[in-house]
Amino acid sequence: ISENGFLRLLGLMKAPEASSLSRQSLIDQSRLAGDDLDLLSLFDAFEHDAEPYSFRDLILARKYAGLIASGASWGAIARSVHRSGPVASLTAKSLNLGSQHGRPDAIYLDDGASELDGQLLFDLVSPNSGMAGDDTLEELFAEAEGAEQEGRHDDAAALYQRCLAIDAKDAIAAFNRANCLRGAGRVAEAAHDYARAIKLDPGFVEAWFNLAGLMSAEGKVASARRHLQKAIALDKTYADPVFNLARLEFDGGNMAEARRLWVRYLELDAESEWARLAQKGIQFVDLHMARTAG
């Protein structure tokens, strides 16, 4: 499942308009190989992440087929598309490989005046360049952490995005960026990056927990409950989601479940300020249930 497909399953992204083209029909009409179609769909190079596809997807498929016929790889296309903005905007533009401009290592937009993503995609590098890239990534990450600690959330988010441009599989960078976006009040983007971190690392319990907090703050109680339950299932010794789920159930009037969860919380944490709040919660529920029974 693609990242956008995952977000749609979570209810964090609106599904594109209805479509009618089957996978085979798209292949037949575009001449794009089936494997390339599947891989490009997985990396959200189309409006739809799976069939049925739309007419816009067919236009894009034809463009991608032309690029591949000219020597581009599906990976080059996916990387370029991800940095170009909304994928639907590419349907009205001309894409071509840069061979005629002396740059066979780049995909160009329109008349070749600019690269699709505004950056060099495939610099021919020396054998030692990988080490330099690692150094650059570490420096960027450290700079992002510094900005985050200073409360410069927008700056930190931009720096973490640069880290992700270098290493798109870095779940921690996606998670940290989500935290910064949340701090900056950019809720929808934060939810997207929490989901991205989870997709990269489904066992990332803190990402499930923070996404639950975001959903709860937005009044999406059912989503918050599911994410907290997932966090608890992943790490049964993680006390924070237990407490928050208890509070969620209490606010929803499910007193018995809230009490059970607060009891469980005290088994995990009996000393903190939160433990004292859990004890008070249990006492309140007991009084409420006694009055109701009486």
Side-chain angles (χ1 to χ4, degrees), residues 30-33 40 60-71 77:
S30 68
R31 304 297 182 186
L32 183 65
L40 287 166
L60 290 168
R62 286 171 174 166
K63 293 177 185 292
Y64 300 155
L67 288 170
I68 289 171
S70 298
I77 296 169

Side-chain angles (χ1 to χ4, degrees), residues 216 221-222 224-225 228 243-253:
S216 181
V221 176
R225 180 182 288 108
L228 287 170
F243 184 93
N244 283 12
L245 185 55
R247 186 169 57 186
L248 197 72
E249 298 297 356
F250 179 83
D251 290 342

Side-chain angles (χ1 to χ4, degrees), residues 39-99:
L39 288 165
L40 287 166
S41 296
L42 183 63
F43 284 86
D44 293 314
F46 298 99
E47 276 194 315
H48 296 77
D49 56 280
E51 63 179 348
Y53 291 95
S54 66
F55 182 67
R56 283 181 176 176
D57 291 327
L58 174 58
I59 294 173
L60 290 168
R62 286 171 174 166
K63 293 177 185 292
Y64 300 155
L67 288 170
I68 289 171
S70 298
S73 67
W74 72 265
I77 296 169
R79 184 178 177 186
S80 299
V81 167
H82 267 275
R83 296 181 180 180
S84 68
V87 67
S89 68
L90 297 178
T91 57
K93 297 177 181 178
S94 175
L95 310 180
N96 56 77
L97 211 61
S99 302

Side-chain angles (χ1 to χ4, degrees), residues 7-211:
L7 290 171
R8 289 174 188 128
L9 285 176
L10 290 175
L12 299 175
M13 176 179 281
K14 184 179 178 181
E17 294 182 3
S19 49
S20 59
L21 288 174
S22 68
R23 175 181 179 276
Q24 190 58 50
S25 178
L26 194 73
I27 291 170
D28 292 342
Q29 295 185 57
S30 68
R31 304 297 182 186
L32 183 65
D35 288 345
D36 291 328
L37 170 61
D38 294 339
L39 288 165
L40 287 166
S41 296
L42 183 63
F43 284 86
D44 293 314
F46 298 99
E47 276 194 315
H48 296 77
D49 56 280
E51 63 179 348
Y53 291 95
S54 66
F55 182 67
R56 283 181 176 176
D57 291 327
L58 174 58
I59 294 173
L60 290 168
R62 286 171 174 166
K63 293 177 185 292
Y64 300 155
L67 288 170
I68 289 171
S70 298
S73 67
W74 72 265
I77 296 169
R79 184 178 177 186
S80 299
V81 167
H82 267 275
R83 296 181 180 180
S84 68
V87 67
S89 68
L90 297 178
T91 57
K93 297 177 181 178
S94 175
L95 310 180
N96 56 77
L97 211 61
S99 302
Q100 64 268 44
H101 303 288
R103 285 302 315 276
D105 57 348
I107 294 172
Y108 279 80
L109 179 64
D110 289 329
D111 60 355
S114 62
E115 285 155 337
L116 183 58
D117 67 351
Q119 301 179 40
L120 301 182
L121 299 182
F122 305 108
D123 266 340
L124 299 177
V125 294
S126 66
N128 294 325
S129 64
M131 294 176 62
D134 289 342
D135 290 343
T136 301
L137 180 57
E138 289 179 7
E139 290 168 3
L140 270 176
F141 198 92
E143 188 178 351
E145 287 184 314
E148 183 178 3
Q149 290 169 4
E150 293 170 6
R152 295 186 287 115
H153 299 301
D154 287 313
D155 291 342
L159 288 164
Y160 282 125
Q161 181 58 39
R162 289 176 63 188
C163 293
L164 287 163
I166 297 171
D167 182 2
K169 296 182 179 180
D170 189 345
I172 295 175
F175 174 75
N176 289 358
R177 184 170 190 268
N179 290 336
C180 294
L181 291 167
R182 185 179 181 182
R186 295 157 63 181
V187 174
E189 293 174 85
H192 179 283
D193 270 20
Y194 282 134
R196 181 179 185 179
I198 290 167
K199 184 175 186 293
L200 291 168
D201 180 3
F204 200 155
V205 64
E206 293 86 355
W208 285 103
F209 176 72
N210 283 15
L211 180 56

